[in-house]
Amino acid sequence: DQQVKQNSPSLSVQEGRISILNCDYTNSMFDYFLWYKKYPAEGPTFLISISSIKDKNEDGRFTVFLNKSAKHLSLHIVPSQPGDSAVYFCAASARGLNEKLTFGTGTRLTIIP
Amino acid sequence: DVKVTQSSRYLVKRTGEKVFLECVQDMDHENMFWYRQDPGLGLRLIYFSYDVKMKEKGDIPEGYSVSREKKERFSLILESASTNQTSMYLCASSFEVQQYFGPGTRLTVT
């Protein structure tokens, strides 16, 4: 039972344009969401997070949007750069229960120069 | 900066061998985690630990065990390696929700 879903395994975007990565979840207990970026042969690195009390969080070129009623979050990267080419994982946590993260299956983003 | 290190980047083992994967973190984090990453399946939690000598099963614990004798060290053990355990293994530590990952160990079982 996949509680966190990333339905697009891959995405290609032109350099300079906006990249939008999507994530859906089913567990209404999730109240904290994170995005991680992973390059080949490296561990994931934290990118940005959002609490369920917010609907938007920005950090430079990265913005995460949360729609609780739709159980959907998205990561916007603008403008996209070649160094953004990586696999992106969304993750969710129910902080009242424990510190476990449930990860999605990942989206491979390719930025075309 | 948080540093999580894993004992090997690449490992090749034979079927039936006992395999030890070591993970060390330097930030005095209470929580440590072992995942495996496979194409199309994302990161799946094998085991985690909230304290020394404490462990809990994750989503796919079968065929694995763990040991946490010291706060900074969390070991993953494959008692008898099988070819379906060929994967990328990732260790992480955390204080609160955000987890910090090591570089991963690419394990191949032949």
Side-chain angles (χ1 to χ4, degrees):
Chain A
D1 178 28
Q2 193 75 25
Q3 297 186 67
V4 179
K5 300 177 186 179
Q6 294 177 256
N7 291 319
S8 298
S10 63
L11 177 68
S12 294
V13 174
Q14 206 78 32
E15 182 180 357
R17 300 286 188 110
I18 185 171
S19 296
I20 300 176
L21 294 90
N22 294 303
C23 180
D24 298 294
Y25 62 96
T26 57
N27 189 340
S28 56
M29 297 293 289
F30 290 146
D31 59 0
Y32 197 78
F33 305 88
L34 307 89
W35 284 93
Y36 282 83
K37 175 180 180 179
K38 186 181 184 300
Y39 292 120
E42 293 184 15
T45 54
F46 170 74
L47 203 52
I48 193 169
S49 63
I50 187 165
S51 164
S52 59
I53 62 172
K54 293 186 172 182
D55 53 18
K56 178 182 173 181
N57 189 26
E58 262 182 282
D59 184 1
R61 296 185 299 113
F62 302 93
T63 303
V64 56
F65 295 92
L66 175 62
N67 182 332
K68 288 187 291 293
S69 60
K71 294 191 177 69
H72 176 82
L73 63 154
S74 60
L75 174 68
H76 292 211
I77 307 172
V78 55
S80 299
Q81 299 174 354
D84 296 329
S85 294
V87 177
Y88 289 79
F89 293 98
C90 70
S93 172
R95 284 184 294 177
L97 297 178
N98 53 48
E99 308 301 337
K100 275 179 21 174
L101 291 178
T102 301
F103 284 85
T105 51
T107 296
R108 180 176 301 279
L109 175 66
T110 303
I111 305 302
I112 304 162
Chain B
D1 272 358
V2 175
K3 193 160 187 186
V4 180
T5 56
Q6 295 184 227
S7 50
S8 306
R9 295 300 300 271
Y10 299 94
L11 211 50
V12 179
K13 295 291 182 181
R14 293 202 179 271
T15 301
E17 278 193 80
K18 190 168 187 176
V19 182
F20 293 87
L21 302 182
E22 305 285 337
C23 175
V24 177
Q25 50 98 1
D26 67 356
M27 282 303 292
D28 202 36
H29 284 167
E30 302 286 341
N31 311 319
M32 296 189 75
F33 307 82
W34 274 106
Y35 296 87
R36 61 180 282 177
Q37 183 201 358
D38 299 288
L41 297 177
L43 275 68
R44 293 181 294 166
L45 182 63
I46 305 171
Y47 266 98
F48 59 104
S49 169
Y50 290 139
D51 203 351
V52 175
K53 296 195 187 293
M54 178 272 174
K55 60 186 179 186
E56 286 196 35
K57 293 179 180 178
D59 300 317
I60 51 163
E62 297 79 18
Y64 304 93
S65 62
V66 290
S67 171
R68 191 155 181 211
E69 297 295 321
K70 293 185 178 181
K71 191 175 186 180
E72 68 270 18
R73 189 178 297 269
F74 191 33
S75 302
L76 179 69
I77 303 153
L78 286 66
E79 294 290 342
S80 177
S82 63
T83 54
N84 63 12
Q85 292 179 310
T86 291
S87 186
M88 167 71 88
Y89 288 88
L90 293 159
C91 174
S93 72
S94 75
F95 173 61
E96 292 182 330
V97 179
Q98 182 182 332
Q99 293 182 14
Y100 299 84
F101 284 84
T105 297
R106 171 70 65 187
L107 172 67
T108 301
V109 182
T110 61

